[in-house]
Structures are given as structure tokens and as C-alpha cells.
Amino acid sequence: MYRIIEKKALNPTVTQMVIDAPFVAKKALPGQFIILRVDEEGERIPLTIADYDREKGTVTIIFQIVGATTEKLNHKEAGDTIPDFVGPLGRPTETEGLKKVCVIGGGVGCAIALPVAKELAAQGCDVTSIIGFRSKDLVILEDEFKAASKKFYMMTDDGSYGRQGNVCVPLNEMLAAGETFDEVITIGPLIMMKFVCAATKPYNIKTIASMNPIMIDGTGMCGGCRLTVGGKMKFACVDGPDFDGHEIDFDEAMSRARMYADFEAKEREETCNLFRKEVK
Amino acid sequence: MPKFNMNPLKNPMPSQAPDVRNGNFKEVALGYTAEMAIDEAKRCLGCKNRPCVAGCPVNIAIPEFIAKVAEGDFEGAYQIIAMSSSLPAVCGRVCPQETQCEGKCTRGIKAGCEAVGIGRLERFVADYHNANAKEKATPVPSNGHKVAVIGSGPSGLTCAGDLAKMGYEVTIYEALHVAGGVLVYGIPEFRLPKAIVQKEVDNLKDLGVKIETNMVIGRVISVEELMGEYGYEAVFIGSGAGLPRFMNIPGENLKGVYSANEFLTRSNLMKAYKADSSTPIQHGKTVAVVGGGNVAMDAARTAKRLGAEVHVIYRRGEEELPARREEVEHAKEEGIIFDLLTNPTRILATDTDNPRDPAYGWVKGIECIRMELGEPDASGRRSPKEIPGSEFVIDVDCVIMSLGTSPNPLLKATTPGLETLRRGEIAVDENGKTSIEGVYCGGDAATGAATVIKAMGAGKVAAKSIDEYIKSKNN
């Protein structure tokens, strides 16, 4: 069993938890993920490692409440336990040797982009960060990003905070003005990553996207997380989750991500009803 | 009472009726009663040359345990089996006895005669013990030496059990949240109830074996670290062959296309077949299972139980089906359709081009081509050839690819100096020794996908080598 050490709401739908998991903490690197089960009947869900403390033996996860399992997880409090928490899984993000990088995070993906930005900054890399949210009340990790970045852009879709527009707006401006990067690293919704990759392609700037397909075991034994990259089949859990964004078939990935949409909607409804009853 | 039962045929196995069982996940075969077991045991001639023992990969003293069954001493029979096998309730159910112990049985040699039901008797004895034994096994006093086992499938469980019985302190590291490997994620509940696997795992824990789940060796701890800072004198790799193969035909990434591993993992390990499961699984209307092995039969019979019309698509003929005869018969009885000498060429998508349409990107059919068998090749196999222009489409909404699996690549990738063969199998000698001193390997990780009992045999051989290695090192 893995104890929840701390729980903090970052915004109305995004929660941060610090989990006691010394084995994971000892080996975790930016870009890697864990798989957890919320209870003995639970499904296995992947979440990226947002931070870790090797000495305390803790791992930080940040998750958005999007369905039944994340809803149940959000009902756990500090001191509660979860039965399974396995990792680190996947390959770490490659940051070595990069001198100038643009890190682009969207929504809860910013929680995954942050450790990458921090790692790059720690290596003396010149980091530009662009983070985007739907609106002001969903903003997370702003100060942490600012601390890791030389240049920083805050975007909201509705303009309620920072600049109005999506993350591609400042990216396109910079690229058009002749700005260049060793690499662009993007983490967020598939549609956002698709457009970031489309924006950098004409400039031939290497772009890495952190993919988040449906997973079960996370160890390479089922292929549920398969993607087409450069015309070849790849398993995101072992070959990724990072891939060359200019090679990824995003339309296929978006389609596959919706495979269980009906089931998920029903589960979420039932879970919400369950918690509503408990509150009464 | 006559000493022998001279009936040429086995006592039949009581089973659920096909049209009942294909609608539930309960075990198909119900097992012998005590009377049936004793009657069957009396068919054993107790031959001096014991050909059946040579046919068993772990060399169970078969005539001896059967003699105990004939006397009605079921616990005595169990103790004899337990000297050679750590998982008798599993093996009695899933071993291909027809090519092993029962294939060699003297009673089965004459035409029209059947071998003694050794597997059924082993199963009966193990189930009797698990239901009635009052005393738990007790750990053997420690000899002070630690061994790590990677993977809790049949080879790892066997290796761990044998080493624990010799006094070693054994820890098994398992990547998933439940121990058992293919016994829990691969073989369905209706062939091997998970409660039985759990019972066998608990028996091992009683012997003093520690099991650490959620530990992906290679990522969380390396083999080098196990041998170094963690203080294990030897490591056994039993990580299996879990990497699924695909055909590389168009449409394989459509929604509704699964590897058999994914489909079975969802159903077996995650219990997605239950209505209240939090893990989803597709309940297809018409399902194509591509492949003809035991895993294909398991996937087909699972899909049937989830309510589908199921087609098994196999490129060779009935004779060449690699699955056990019994599994093919069970599948046919349950209403599975076999499309033989047939090979998929592509998987077809729904007509819509609009990604926002919920129907977008789903399977709607599988295009196949008819095959014919050519002359036998050098290996004696008749290779299938396409019949030009014979393409046709089967309308399906789900496809399960069951084309075999390769060894998991993670340990090879993270263990410097670990030599592997062409398909990623870890290279071992006849004692299970790898290219690294103190590191042993067995089961599917070394051979590629094979059988449960072969993996158990390899675990047994490795346990013996590990014992010899540690003893020689400490002398």
C-alpha cells in the first residue's frame, strides 16, 4: 500500500498529491510516468511524475478530474492509501546537450512540462516557456514555470488571464520573427500538440511531443498504447512516451483516445452519483 | 473388488453443457468426484518402466501418486506430487497431457484405448488438498543465502518454490499488481479459476517465499543492483514472452483492434468481463480472432462469452491448428466459427471521414484471402499460398490479433552483458545459465512462447543449478 502524504487542490479540477513510494522516487526522471490503481477493484491509469524527492522517498502526481477513477482518487485524503503505484515507467525525456529550448504546456500537461523545464534550467539551458489554459481559474504552476524560464508566456483561451489565445500564438510570432530553438518540447492535449508540431515543421525545428494514449499494463505487453510514428507501430509505454512530433499520426491517436468514450461517460456519471449520495 | 479397472476409456470429465457455459465465465470442467478418481486411478497398471514419468517435464512420480489415490489416500497422493511440482492444481488443468505424461501411458497404446486420466487425477488431488488440508506448509530453516526471482509466472513460481524448499531466502519481483503471470492475465477464468492460482501462490508464501508486486525490474531496480546493493547471490529471470506481434497490415490501429494480450489482460486480470468492472472492454457483435494457437482459442471463447459471434481466422488447415485438440473441440462446441485456409489482408474502417463522428475510426470489416497449402518445405511444414483474386470481406466490429508473442525486451535493454538470440530470447545453456555469472533464466523469456509446464520444468532446472552454483561458490 502507498500512503498519500499531502493533497492540495491546484484549481477546481486539478489536484496535486505527494505519495510515499521510495522505490519509484529513487529512480524517477522527468518525462517518466507511473501507473496506479485507486482501490482493489480499480482500473490501472497512467499519470506522469510531476516531481520527486529521493531523500524523502516521495513522488508528486498532478491529475485532472476527468472521469470515474480520477474522481475516486480525488476523494482520497492525506493519510489514506492506494493499493498500487508502479514505476518509473517509460523513457525519460532526453535533455542532455540542449542549449535553447521552448517548453510548451497545456492544461494539466503543464504539470508534466514543469519537471522538464526545471531539469533543463538546472543544466544551464535557455528555457522559453509557453503555458496555456482555458481560463484564469484553471491556471496552475505559474510561479514555478517563471522560476525555470528566461522567457515566459501565459495564455488563456478566453483572455481572462495573460494573453488571449492558444499556445501557438506566441510560438508563431517568435518563429516568424526569426527566433530559433534546438528543440521544442510540448505536453498537453493531443489537439494542442498537433498544432504545435504543425507550427514548427516549416521551420524544421525538432519537436518532441509527450503522448498520453490509453494504457493498461504500461510495461509493453499489450500494445493498447500503440501509435504510428514515422509509419511504424510504436508502444508509447516502452518506446515513449516522448516521440518526434513531426512523425506522429495525431489524427489516429485522437481517434484511439476516444475508444471507450461511452463507457467512460457512464462510469463517471455513476461515480458522481455515488459520491453525491455519500454526501447526503 | 477387482484390482484393476479394465475399462479402455477414461472416466469422462463432468463439464458444463456447451450452450450453458458459453454464456458464463465459470469453470468449464467440473472435476472428478472421489469415486470417479478412485475408479480412474484403478486403471493405472503401475508399470515398472514408468513411461509416463519420463513424459512429465517435472518428472512427477505418477504411478506412486495414483496408487495412493486408488487407496483413497488423497493427501498422501498430494505429498508425492508436491515433491516435484509446486503448482499441481494449475498443471492438472492446463498441461497438454496428450503430448506429455498421458501420451506415453501404456494404457493408451492400443487402438481404441485411452491413457489413464493423469491430469484429471492430479487436478483432483490438488483440489482435494486445497479444500481439506488443515496444516499449512512451513518454511524450511534459512541457509542464509538470498536469491531474487524476476517474474511470478509458472517458471518463477516453480524456481522460487524449489529454492525455498532447499532453505534459500527467495524474493519474487513482479511487475503487475497480482502474482501469477500468464496464469492470471492470460488463461481465462473458465479454464483456470483465479482463486486456484491465488491458492497456489499462497502455498508458496507459506513456504517462506516473499512476493513484491509493482516492481518492474530493469526500471525500478536493475539486475546489477539486485546482485550488488540488494545482496542477492543469484538471480533467476522468468520474465516471459509478453510482447505481442502484429501483422503490419493496413487498419491494425483502428478502434476495435486488440492484441490477444490486451483483450485477455482486460478480461482476466482487470475482470472487465464483470458488469461492474471499472476497466472497459469491447463487447463486439461479430469478432474476428486471427491465429490458431491456444491463446487464439482463449480469446475467441472469451469474446463468445461477452456475447459475440466469433470467427477464428487461420491461414492453414484444421490439421495444422497449433492449439490443443481439446481446446479446438471446446471452442467448436461453444459455437465458434472456424475460417480456415484464410488470411487477413487488411482491416476496413467505417465510412465516415469526419473525426467528430463517434463512428469515425472504428473497424467495420476484415478483408481476407483464401489460401492453399503448398508442398512440404525443408522443415516438413506445408506453407500456405494465397489464391489470387479470392479476396472477401467478413463484417466484424472487433478484431483480436493472436499471432504469438516475443520475449519482453526490457531486461535485455537494461542489463549490460546479457546475451540474447535472434528473436530476443535470453541465451541460456542446458542448466539455465545466462552469459552473466550468477544470473539464470528459464521459461518463455529463454524459449519464446511455449507451455506452462515447460516453463515450470525450466524453473526447476534453474533452481538446481542455482543451488549448485551458490554451494560451489561458498565452499
Side-chain angles (χ1 to χ4, degrees), chain A residues 2 23-24 26-27 32 37 41-44 69 72 83-92 214-217 219-228 233 235 237-238 251-252 255-260 263-264 266-267, chain B residues 175-178 185 212-216 219-222 225 229-230 242-244 246 248 252-259 261-262 265-266 269-270 275-282 355-357 360-362 408-410:
Chain A
Y2 301 80
F23 280 109
V24 187
K26 203 172 163 190
K27 285 289 175 71
Q32 288 186 300
R37 283 199 317 148
E41 282 73 47
E43 61 174 337
R44 296 168 65 96
T69 296
K72 282 183 200 155
D84 301 296
F85 189 87
V86 54
L89 299 170
R91 296 152 76 109
I214 292 170
M215 286 189 192
I216 303 138
D217 59 285
T219 63
M221 58 170 258
C222 85
C225 65
R226 63 193 187 273
L227 303 163
T228 302
M233 185 187 289
F235 291 2
C237 71
V238 287
D251 292 341
E252 178 188 276
S255 170
R256 285 184 63 78
R258 287 193 293 269
M259 176 152 173
Y260 298 104
F263 178 92
E264 285 160 357
K266 191 174 124 269
E267 284 290 292
Chain B
L176 293 173
H177 59 272
V178 189
Y185 77 72
E212 301 281 349
T213 52
N214 294 329
M215 297 291 265
V216 183
R219 292 261 188 243
V220 69
I221 304 174
S222 68
E225 288 166 334
E229 57 181 289
Y230 288 86
L243 180 72
F246 287 88
N248 297 314
E252 250 176 334
N253 285 356
L254 290 169
K255 287 179 284 190
V257 183
Y258 289 101
S259 72
N261 264 14
E262 178 181 358
T265 298
R266 284 179 181 273
L269 178 71
M270 305 312 295
D276 61 351
S277 168
S278 52
T279 299
I281 195 165
Q282 191 188 351
R356 292 180 184 280
D357 185 336
Y360 175 83
W362 280 93
N408 299 344
L410 184 61

Side-chain angles (χ1 to χ4, degrees), chain B residues 155 236-242 406-408 411 418-434 440-450 454-455 458-459 462:
Chain B
S155 71
F236 174 74
I237 300 174
S239 51
S406 309
N408 299 344
L411 283 169
L418 187 65
E419 282 173 21
T420 54
L421 307 176
R422 197 169 55 90
R423 285 188 158 181
E425 306 96 329
I426 294 171
V428 291
D429 70 7
E430 69 280 8
N431 300 314
K433 229 173 133 217
T434 69
Y440 294 76
C441 173
D444 288 4
T447 58
K454 281 196 181 132

Side-chain angles (χ1 to χ4, degrees), chain B residues 152-267:
Chain B
S152 66
S155 71
L157 292 175
T158 303
C159 186
D162 278 20
L163 288 167
K165 285 178 197 163
M166 297 180 218
Y168 288 92
E169 291 176 28
V170 184
T171 304
I172 300 180
Y173 292 98
E174 166 57 45
L176 293 173
H177 59 272
V178 189
V182 74
L183 307 177
V184 296
Y185 77 72
I187 303 175
E189 182 79 14
F190 54 82
R191 280 216 293 138
L192 179 62
K194 301 310 145 210
I196 283 165
V197 181
Q198 189 56 48
K199 184 75 194 169
E200 304 266 46
V201 170
D202 289 344
N203 290 344
L204 277 185
K205 286 187 184 162
D206 291 340
L207 277 175
V209 173
K210 284 200 210 91
I211 301 181
E212 301 281 349
T213 52
N214 294 329
M215 297 291 265
V216 183
I217 300 302
R219 292 261 188 243
V220 69
I221 304 174
S222 68
V223 172
E224 212 174 1
E225 288 166 334
L226 286 174
M227 306 276 287
E229 57 181 289
Y230 288 86
Y232 293 103
E233 287 177 67
V235 171
F236 174 74
I237 300 174
S239 51
L243 180 72
R245 297 198 194 115
F246 287 88
M247 289 186 84
N248 297 314
I249 56 172
E252 250 176 334
N253 285 356
L254 290 169
K255 287 179 284 190
V257 183
Y258 289 101
S259 72
N261 264 14
E262 178 181 358
F263 189 72
L264 291 171
T265 298
R266 284 179 181 273
S267 180

